[in-house]
């Protein structure tokens, strides 16, 4: 399949998208990408490990169909100022495009508050899995949310939405650590133009399992998507690939206490499966010693024994049946053909995907720490 030429996209942008932010949640600059449908799960030859890739020190991690993108944000922000930005000098940072990691944190596309001001998406979903910190969400449909402390936001961009994801630094008397994953899950062609929708999976509702091995060491598994034996995750949005029958989409976070041993059970044989070593090492996975942050590609039909080392380890599991359709991406738009990408830019130029009902491109939701969600139909929810 032909790539979209840079000249074509420049013409589209010049025709009317100028003045509207086209920044992406991705830490990399928008780029043209064409990927043909990916292969089915490999035949099991007796070795459960299909490949090992080191994770980059910064930026997105490698993924497999049906996942498009995964990034781990781990910022050690200082105390906040009255505007909920960092109470620290911003000298030496390229504001608006700061991924420098100076002093252990970045402003990303934020000018005053760190984060990702107004930007559009079409054709896929974002799943934001919080560990520490609070994210303020605002969107073009009038929806808003503040979430963190183990919460998950699952956003179906569908036919198009503008949203902002800002990181307010609310604590003024101490540091403001942020630690979360953002995962992009593709939509099949039939659902790429679905109505936009977001769901909140509050911390207290996300299924969590604890396994104690024969030596008394604990492993904790949180099920964001998919099933673990008889434990079922909360329902994903209705048009998600994860909501379709027999797709086997799984998103789990796994924490192993020092010296813990645990067995990752096999999954359905037509899945692609990746396990990421996020924190901690060394550990032994299916007989392979891992001593750095890596992505491990696993055969879905194998039970995988994990023996942790002397430090607590954290893992992320992404698995699912491939969608198996061509993927054409330019920055925040992910479709099946180059023509659909061109149409996405034209639609954004014409409609702004609903406009922007907020006074600025980087709204935050006040100095209080209360978590909430307000949906476009004005319904409101809060965690208990």
């Amino acid at each position: 399949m032909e790539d979209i030429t840079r000249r074509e996209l420049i013409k589209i942008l010049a025709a009317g998208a100028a003045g509207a932010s086209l920044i992406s949640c991705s830490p990399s600059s928008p780029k043209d990408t064409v990927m043909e449908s990916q292969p089915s799960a490999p035949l099991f030859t007796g070795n459960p490990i299909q490949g090992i890739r080191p994770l980059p020190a910064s930026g997105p991690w490698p993924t497999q169909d049906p996942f498009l993108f995964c990034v781990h944000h781990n910022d050690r922000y200082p105390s906040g100022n009255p505007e909920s930005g960092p109470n620290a000098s911003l000298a030496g940072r390229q504001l608006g495009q700061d991924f420098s990691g100076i002093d252990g944190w970045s402003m990303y596309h934020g000018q005053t508050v760190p984060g990702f001001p107004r930007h559009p998406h079409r054709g896929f979903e974002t799943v934001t899995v919080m560990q520490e910190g609070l994210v303020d969400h605002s969107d073009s449909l009038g929806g808003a949310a503040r979430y963190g402390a183990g919460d998950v936001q699952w956003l179906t961009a569908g036919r198009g939405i503008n949203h902002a994801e800002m990181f307010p630094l609310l604590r003024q008397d101490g540091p403001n650590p942020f630690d979360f994953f953002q995962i992009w899950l593709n939509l099949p062609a039939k659902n790429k133009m679905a109505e936009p929708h977001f769901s909140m999976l509050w911390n207290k509702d996300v299924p969590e399992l604890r396994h104690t091995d024969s030596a008394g060491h604990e492993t904790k598994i949180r099920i964001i998507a998919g099933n673990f034996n008889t434990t079922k995750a909360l329902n994903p949005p209705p048009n998600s690939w994860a909501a379709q029958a027999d797709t086997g989409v799984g998103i789990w976070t796994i924490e192993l206490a020092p010296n813990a041993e645990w067995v990752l059970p096999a999954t359905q044989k037509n899945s692609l499966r990746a396990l990421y070593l996020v924190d901690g090492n060394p550990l032994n996975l299916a007989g392979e010693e891992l001593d750095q942050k890596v992505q491990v590609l696993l055969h879905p039909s194998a039970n995988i024994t994990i023996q942790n080392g002397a430090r607590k380890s954290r893992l992320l599991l992404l698995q699912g049946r491939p969608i198996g359709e061509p993927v054409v991406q330019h920055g925040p738009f992910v479709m099946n053909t180059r023509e659909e990408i061109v149409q996405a830019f034209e639609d954004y130029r014409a409609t702004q995907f609903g406009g922007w009902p907020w006074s600025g491109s980087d709204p935050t939701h006040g100095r209080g720490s209360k978590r909430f969600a307000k949906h476009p139909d004005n319904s409101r929810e809060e965690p208990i």
Side-chain angles (χ1 to χ4, degrees), residues 137 139 142-145 198 358 372-381:
H137 162 92
D139 66 45
F198 79 84
W358 307 92
F372 74 94
K374 182 180 81 70
H375 295 274
D377 63 1
N378 288 320
S379 62
R380 187 179 176 95
E381 57 177 307

Side-chain angles (χ1 to χ4, degrees), residues 1-3 34-36 326-328 336-338:
M1 180 182 297
E2 291 185 12
D3 205 346
V34 177
M35 295 175 284
E36 295 296 339
V327 174
V328 182
N336 296 104
T337 69
R338 61 189 297 278

Side-chain angles (χ1 to χ4, degrees), residues 13 16-25 30 96-97 109-111 115-121 161-164 332-333 345 348-349 352-353 355-356 360-362:
L13 288 168
S21 174
L22 283 174
I23 59 176
S24 161
C25 299
Q97 187 71 29
H109 295 305
Q111 301 275 352
F116 297 87
R118 173 189 178 184
H119 57 279
H121 291 306
I161 193 169
N162 269 302
H163 75 154
F333 304 144
F345 276 92
Y348 186 65
R349 179 191 62 188
Q352 298 292 290
F353 292 168
W356 192 245
S361 65
D362 57 350

Side-chain angles (χ1 to χ4, degrees), residues 3 49 56 141 192 204 208 215 231 235 276 293 310 315 366 383:
D3 205 346
I49 296 179
L141 305 181
K192 282 194 175 291
K204 67 179 180 63
E208 182 177 292
T231 300
N235 290 332
Y276 300 82
K293 295 182 180 182
L315 307 168

Side-chain angles (χ1 to χ4, degrees), residues 302-369:
N303 295 321
I304 307 295
T305 299
I306 304 172
Q307 296 170 308
N308 195 24
R311 295 190 295 166
K312 183 175 78 171
S313 290
R314 180 165 49 143
L315 307 168
L316 173 69
L317 176 78
L318 299 181
Q319 64 186 19
R321 175 161 62 86
I323 294 173
E325 297 174 351
V327 174
V328 182
Q329 176 184 355
H330 182 84
F333 304 144
V334 182
M335 302 302 289
N336 296 104
T337 69
R338 61 189 297 278
E339 291 79 13
E340 289 170 336
I341 291 289
V342 171
Q343 187 63 52
F345 276 92
E346 291 178 347
D347 291 347
Y348 186 65
R349 179 191 62 188
T351 70
Q352 298 292 290
F353 292 168
W356 192 245
W358 307 92
S359 59
S361 65
D362 57 350
T364 57
H365 303 318
R367 294 291 310 166
S369 60

Side-chain angles (χ1 to χ4, degrees), residues 135-180:
V135 170
D136 279 358
H137 162 92
S138 308
D139 66 45
S140 54
L141 305 181
R146 170 170 285 174
Y147 59 95
D151 300 329
V152 177
Q153 188 198 57
W154 196 318
L155 171 73
T156 304
R159 62 181 172 80
I161 193 169
N162 269 302
H163 75 154
E165 300 158 291
M166 305 309 300
F167 310 160
L169 309 183
L170 300 181
R171 186 177 178 185
Q172 294 182 287
D173 60 352
N176 289 272
F178 269 67
D179 189 335
F180 68 93

Side-chain angles (χ1 to χ4, degrees), residues 44-104:
F44 186 34
T45 61
N47 182 359
I49 296 179
Q50 304 294 316
I52 299 176
R53 305 174 187 170
L55 296 179
S58 62
W61 294 347
T63 55
Q64 303 180 103
D65 190 356
F67 298 98
L68 299 163
F69 170 92
C70 178
V71 69
H72 180 212
H73 288 287
N74 189 4
D75 291 279
R76 307 291 96 181
Y77 290 112
S79 60
N81 61 28
E83 291 75 40
S84 298
N87 186 20
S89 171
L90 300 179
R93 297 177 184 271
Q94 185 181 345
L95 289 183
Q97 187 71 29
D98 173 37
F99 296 85
S100 64
I102 296 171
D103 296 329

